[in-house]
Amino acid sequence: MEAFTSYIIKSFKHDGHLHRMWLENWRVPDRLLDASHAEQAMLVFINSQTKIVEADGKEWVSRVPGVSFFIPGEWFNIVALMEEQGVRYYCNIASPPYVNGRVITYIDYDLDVIRMPAGDIHVVDQEEYERHKLLYHYSEVVHVKVKQGLSKLLQRVREGKPPLQDDLVKHYYQLWLDSSVQTEGSDETLSCKKAQDPDDNSSDGA
């Protein structure tokens, strides 16, 4: 199976300071994307028990597996959290993703939309947005982009449009699990082979 590649995801605030960082996120190869995601050039990442670093330096480890979706040009991103009760979608209003090597960055614009496993939808952190709009001096252009992003996101969430598809979230996660098992199996096979072949010199330096 095609390899999943590890990326770092960094979220910043409007003034440029780091908001949050996820240190290990495995990108789903483009070839494995569902057609409804590929046609939007989505960037899809898996994380499971990844280390997260907050702005104040505090570190913690994610408790539930997540599948993150970034859509070029869109002012939001979507994280599907695979909880015991079902898939909860935590959607961030944010600038479009910027890719630099194996690092994804974006600016977080406070507002979040949450769709619970039962289907109820909540818009949260509106007071935080109003506070930060004054603190960080959001321009009118940013304000318009944020409002447009929220409108488009809410329509997508309410209508269950891609990537709000529980079956595909679980499918991507299972592909990553299968890939991890195969990689570990290959490593174990190689270790056994070297242990059984003491004359093997393939690891010698040039």
Side-chain angles (χ1 to χ4, degrees):
M1 180 178 290
E2 192 170 347
F4 286 61
T5 307
S6 182
Y7 281 64
I8 294 173
I9 296 176
K10 294 182 178 182
S11 168
F12 292 87
K13 283 300 185 181
H14 186 77
D15 66 347
H17 80 263
L18 181 69
H19 173 53
R20 186 170 292 129
M21 179 166 55
W22 294 259
L23 296 184
E24 191 173 64
N25 308 270
W26 298 93
R27 183 175 176 180
V28 177
D30 289 344
R31 186 180 62 81
L32 300 180
L33 292 179
D34 182 78
S36 65
H37 299 166
E39 67 185 12
Q40 298 181 62
M42 288 189 191
L43 305 171
V44 183
F45 299 89
I46 313 294
N47 73 54
S48 180
Q49 296 184 321
T50 189
K51 182 183 289 186
I52 298 171
V53 181
E54 300 287 351
D56 60 3
K58 178 183 177 182
E59 298 181 358
W60 55 286
V61 175
S62 60
R63 296 183 297 276
V64 298
V67 182
S68 301
F69 300 87
F70 295 88
I71 307 172
E74 296 290 2
W75 278 67
F76 57 81
N77 57 66
I78 297 172
V79 182
L81 299 169
M82 301 175 64
E83 301 175 334
E84 288 186 8
Q85 305 93 325
V87 179
R88 177 167 64 99
Y89 292 90
Y90 200 99
C91 313
N92 305 287
I93 296 299
S95 65
Y98 175 74
V99 183
N100 182 13
R102 294 186 181 179
V103 179
I104 306 292
T105 61
Y106 63 88
I107 299 173
D108 179 88
Y109 281 107
D110 316 309
L111 296 171
D112 301 307
V113 176
I114 303 171
R115 194 184 85 175
M116 304 300 289
D120 43 319
I121 298 168
H122 308 277
V123 179
V124 300
D125 295 335
Q126 297 181 73
E127 291 183 0
E128 181 182 355
Y129 174 77
E130 294 300 329
R131 187 170 66 252
H132 284 173
K133 184 172 69 172
L134 296 176
L135 177 64
Y136 298 136
H137 306 289
Y138 294 168
S139 68
E140 182 61 22
V141 171
V142 167
H143 180 64
V144 170
K145 290 290 187 181
V146 164
K147 292 304 180 184
Q148 290 175 342
L150 178 60
S151 177
K152 292 175 70 174
L153 174 60
L154 281 171
Q155 180 180 2
R156 191 178 289 244
V157 170
R158 287 168 178 155
E159 296 178 4
K161 292 183 176 179
L164 289 98
Q165 303 148 293
D166 292 7
D167 56 340
L168 287 178
V169 168
K170 296 172 184 176
H171 173 67
Y172 287 142
Y173 182 64
Q174 189 60 52
L175 284 177
W176 175 74
L177 285 179
D178 292 344
S179 174
S180 300
V181 169
Q182 288 183 12
T183 300
E184 290 172 2
S186 297
D187 291 344
E188 290 173 1
T189 300
L190 181 59
S191 297
C192 290
K193 179 181 181 298
K194 288 186 175 182
Q196 293 168 359
D197 187 2
D199 295 326
D200 181 271
N201 294 318
S202 61
S203 62
D204 290 350

